Amino acid sequence: MRSQVPRIRCAREAFLLAVLVAGLRLSVSSCLTAWVGISVPTRSARRFPSLRSQISVSEVKTEVRGEQGTESFRRFFLDSQSQEISPWHDLPLTTEVKGEYWMVTEIPKMTKPKMEIATKEPMNPMAQDIKKGKLRDYHGPIFWNYGYLPQTWEDPSVEHPELKVFGDNDPVDVVEIGTRAHVQGEIGRVKVLGSLAMIDDGELDWKVIAISKDDPMFAELQDVADVEAKLPGVISGVREWFRWYKTPDGKPLNEFGFDGQAIGPSQTVEVIEETHDAWKRLRSSAGGKLWIGKS
């Protein structure tokens, strides 16, 4: 019996040590969470496959699958570990500078294929739009870089209080008016200058007007008044291009709210914030036909 005492004592001490370590881990985790908002994961912790909060935009790359110019074409977005991410839900909206946001380019300037993120497909890759079984192209090139703001959504169930139309069920569009043609899938910093409230087939489809951080005119343009003064004809050009671009298909002219006038950057920021809140609501919902990272 005497020879078993050390074994019992060692086992008891090992057990007490394990309890102490576990308690310290719990304490450290609680303190970190309370002090600086850091959460120490446990082995049982799980997360959605999407909406990653620590994506580094500079490390994101894209990968083409399928053949360009066919229905099989997809451009997927990958993080630094080559894991698929959603360019709608995982990329950040805001930068550290007020009034500057991240834009994803779908259609580079002077091109015609109507590329867009596939909001209903898993991981939301980029694809060419299809209408009536055919790949969709503009009838002429678009003269600006065209894309969208991540983490935004124009809610089709919410009516604009003044324009009395509902959202178009897509992220907010961006028209970047700089001189350089972007690359398809490029993620770039842009400054918001204003926006046009386009009404397409009875749906509100905001067109945010922006300028890239690396553009020579970036420092000179602060709002739509500056655009009118230093780049005359650009605002009206954007408006009229989007007013007429569907007419070759027999569609009526698109309309614009606010008598076709562009609203300024402060009002546009309010639109972005509202659509960001709508996106948050979408993420907390079942998503309907949209892929939101829960399936």
Side-chain angles (χ1 to χ4, degrees):
M1 292 292 295
R2 189 174 298 176
S3 63
Q4 295 179 5
V5 171
R7 294 182 183 179
I8 295 173
R9 184 173 300 164
C10 289
R12 183 175 60 190
E13 290 173 354
F15 172 77
L16 292 174
L17 180 61
V19 171
L20 178 61
V21 170
L24 285 172
R25 177 179 172 80
L26 180 61
S27 177
V28 169
S29 175
S30 300
C31 289
L32 285 173
T33 301
W35 292 342
V36 293
I38 297 175
S39 176
V40 179
T42 64
R43 290 184 180 180
S44 61
R46 300 184 66 182
R47 61 183 301 172
F48 283 149
S50 188
L51 193 57
R52 301 170 193 174
S53 59
Q54 300 300 321
I55 293 291
S56 174
V57 171
S58 63
E59 295 177 341
V60 173
K61 54 193 175 186
T62 66
E63 178 181 280
V64 170
R65 302 172 193 170
E67 184 179 352
Q68 191 158 358
T70 71
E71 294 184 19
S72 69
F73 176 86
R74 294 292 184 276
R75 182 179 293 279
F76 282 86
F77 288 70
L78 310 175
D79 65 13
S80 59
Q81 305 300 313
S82 295
Q83 299 295 310
E84 292 179 1
I85 62 171
S86 165
W88 183 13
H89 304 303
D90 292 326
L91 295 178
L93 167 63
T94 58
T95 70
E96 75 282 2
V97 179
K98 184 178 180 181
E100 294 182 17
Y101 299 87
W102 292 108
M103 168 193 176
V104 181
T105 297
E106 296 165 303
I107 309 172
K109 67 188 299 184
M110 302 310 297
T111 63
K112 295 195 299 181
K114 181 66 173 71
M115 309 302 297
E116 58 184 26
I117 59 162
T119 56
K120 299 177 183 178
E121 294 184 17
M123 304 312 298
N124 309 124
M126 198 169 289
Q128 190 167 354
D129 189 26
I130 297 176
K131 291 290 185 182
K132 297 181 179 179
K134 295 182 179 181
L135 293 173
R136 185 179 171 196
D137 287 89
Y138 291 136
H139 291 277
I142 189 169
F143 305 122
W144 312 274
N145 296 299
Y146 188 63
Y148 66 93
L149 297 175
Q151 297 190 15
T152 60
W153 181 53
E154 297 192 50
D155 190 342
S157 69
V158 174
E159 184 181 55
H160 190 279
E162 185 174 347
L163 301 177
K164 303 302 179 182
V165 287
F166 296 83
D168 72 345
N169 204 31
D170 282 326
V172 172
D173 296 326
V174 182
V175 182
E176 194 279 322
I177 62 173
T179 57
R180 178 179 64 85
H182 291 185
V183 176
Q184 183 189 101
E186 179 176 333
I187 309 166
R189 297 171 67 116
V190 297
K191 175 167 59 181
V192 166
L193 305 173
S195 58
L196 291 162
M198 189 174 91
I199 301 172
D200 182 356
D201 198 21
E203 296 178 334
L204 182 57
D205 187 4
W206 287 102
K207 305 299 181 188
V208 171
I209 299 167
I211 185 78
S212 285
K213 182 82 171 180
D214 63 0
D215 193 86
M217 294 292 292
F218 181 85
E220 298 184 45
L221 302 178
Q222 304 301 325
D223 52 30
V224 289
D226 288 337
V227 178
E228 294 283 18
K230 299 176 182 181
L231 298 174
V234 168
I235 301 294
S236 60
V238 171
R239 182 182 62 244
E240 297 311 311
W241 194 94
F242 280 101
R243 188 193 301 277
W244 286 88
Y245 82 106
K246 287 186 177 181
T247 57
D249 295 321
K251 298 289 185 68
L253 294 172
N254 285 323
E255 300 175 357
F256 287 85
F258 309 114
D259 295 322
Q261 300 301 305
I263 62 174
S266 60
Q267 292 171 285
T268 301
V269 167
E270 292 179 5
V271 170
I272 294 171
E273 290 174 349
E274 289 171 1
T275 55
H276 181 55
D277 288 339
W279 171 82
K280 291 178 182 178
R281 294 195 303 272
L282 173 66
R283 285 285 304 184
S284 64
S285 72
K289 294 182 179 180
L290 300 176
W291 190 85
I292 59 171
K294 294 185 179 181
S295 60

